[in-house]
Amino acid sequence: MSGELVLVTGGSGFVGAHCVVRLLDAGYRVRTTVRSLTREADVRAMVKAGGAEPGEALSFAVADLLSDAGWPEAVSGCDFVLHVASPFPPGVPKHEDELIVPAREGTLRVLRAARDAGVRRVVQTSSFAAIGYGHQHTDQPFSEESWTDPNADVSAYVKSKTLAERAAWDFIAREGGSLELSVVNPVGVFGPVLGPDYSGSIQLVRLLMDGAMPGTPRLSFGVVDVRDVADLHLRAMTSPAAKGERFLAIAGDGMTMNDIALLLKARMGDAAKRVPTRMLPDVMVRLTSLIAPSLKPIVPDLGKVRKASSEKAGRVLGWAPRSNEETIVATAESLVRLGLLRNPRKAA
């Protein structure tokens, strides 16, 4: 049991809450930032749902990525920081700066405060979005050597993750002092939901389970379990070999929406009776996105396959993720368990 103090930014989020659970299980004391202390009860409930007993080992600090206030107090006395918090919109923002500014400036606020407080290492949650976009199509798997081109025709979210990570590395190189940085770059994060706050990836499974789509769009993406993402953060935090490195988090080959739909049908019984298994023509998805703005972000990715490898995380940190199948089933089971799906009795 280490007893060292770790700050997790954004503990009310899907990945943040799982990081809190993993750290508590490993014997760390955890402080997490929330934008309002009204979220404390929610976070404690999520941590309990994840199997950890928070007690006095978990404390809270109020801080916002858009303000300097609260960050010196949040990092005070901390040995490590997991910077997980980042804006993720439900749809397309009116202006890309609505995402880019909080992501980039928030990262720099956290790093400055960590450096000034004598924190040893910050682990930043970046994304595959900072690696695999804005490139010519390739059949070769992307690795940590690859960087997204933010000047290409990419979404505001992709640009925000890329610029925020670039800003972090530049800060460490120029003015980081003795502060160390490691970065985790997950693909689509799935796995057990601990409460009503969950990622956009989980929304895809929920929409399938609810039968909210007439079919599956031709989308393909990497899959990783949130529990394994949290584990990789802990490994990147503690391993000397992780200093100054970035690590792709992906469990294996990518999955299509249709793969996920068929898996749910095969494994989730009656709970998956609404899941559609026919594939939608791209043109139908494009037309639907004109009246359903939440679909717009996926349109540029229709039919595209981006491969990636987590060979480095396995070789350097001994990271061994769960299978895609286990992850997707755990996602669906948690949505059922928490009552986050439509009531079957209201089905047409």
Side-chain angles (χ1 to χ4, degrees), residues 157-229:
Y157 175 73
V158 166
K159 190 179 286 191
S160 76
K161 296 303 284 190
T162 306
L163 294 177
E165 190 188 338
R166 282 285 195 195
W169 289 118
D170 289 347
F171 175 88
I172 292 295
R174 293 173 185 168
E175 51 185 305
S178 62
L179 180 65
E180 298 174 358
L181 177 67
S182 299
V183 173
V184 174
N185 299 78
V187 291
V189 182
F190 297 83
V193 173
L194 303 180
D197 284 303
Y198 48 81
S199 67
S201 307
I202 301 290
Q203 181 80 346
L204 293 176
V205 176
R206 191 183 70 79
L207 289 171
L208 286 173
M209 297 284 285
D210 278 346
M213 295 184 286
T216 58
R218 283 200 319 135
L219 278 183
S220 174
F221 38 78
V223 170
V224 67
D225 193 292
V226 65
R227 294 166 291 184
D228 296 321
V229 173

Side-chain angles (χ1 to χ4, degrees), residues 268-299:
M268 290 303 296
D270 196 49
K273 65 184 178 186
R274 289 201 190 92
V275 173
T277 54
R278 72 182 185 101
M279 293 182 67
L280 295 175
D282 292 353
V283 65
M284 181 184 292
V285 179
R286 289 192 176 95
L287 288 172
T288 307
S289 73
L290 299 176
I291 54 173
S294 61
L295 288 176
K296 282 184 181 176
I298 73 171
V299 169

Side-chain angles (χ1 to χ4, degrees), residues 20-37:
V20 172
V21 169
R22 182 71 184 83
L23 287 163
L24 290 171
D25 282 345
Y28 290 90
R29 292 179 298 129
V30 180
R31 182 185 296 151
T32 188
T33 62
V34 287
R35 280 178 289 184
S36 165
L37 285 178

Side-chain angles (χ1 to χ4, degrees), residues 110-183:
V110 172
L111 290 171
R112 279 191 209 101
R115 175 200 62 193
D116 295 347
V119 168
R120 274 184 267 164
R121 181 179 293 176
V122 172
V123 180
Q124 179 183 356
T125 313
S126 184
S127 171
F128 178 67
I131 289 177
Y133 289 77
H135 303 283
Q136 293 292 323
H137 176 73
T138 174
D139 286 327
Q140 294 301 308
F142 286 102
S143 74
E144 291 83 357
E145 304 299 314
S146 306
W147 275 93
T148 287
D149 178 4
N151 297 312
D153 184 18
V154 295
S155 72
Y157 175 73
V158 166
K159 190 179 286 191
S160 76
K161 296 303 284 190
T162 306
L163 294 177
E165 190 188 338
R166 282 285 195 195
W169 289 118
D170 289 347
F171 175 88
I172 292 295
R174 293 173 185 168
E175 51 185 305
S178 62
L179 180 65
E180 298 174 358
L181 177 67
S182 299
V183 173

Side-chain angles (χ1 to χ4, degrees), residues 21 24-25 44 47-58:
V21 169
L24 290 171
D25 282 345
R44 288 187 177 277
V47 170
K48 280 190 175 183
E53 191 53 58
E56 293 182 1
L58 177 62

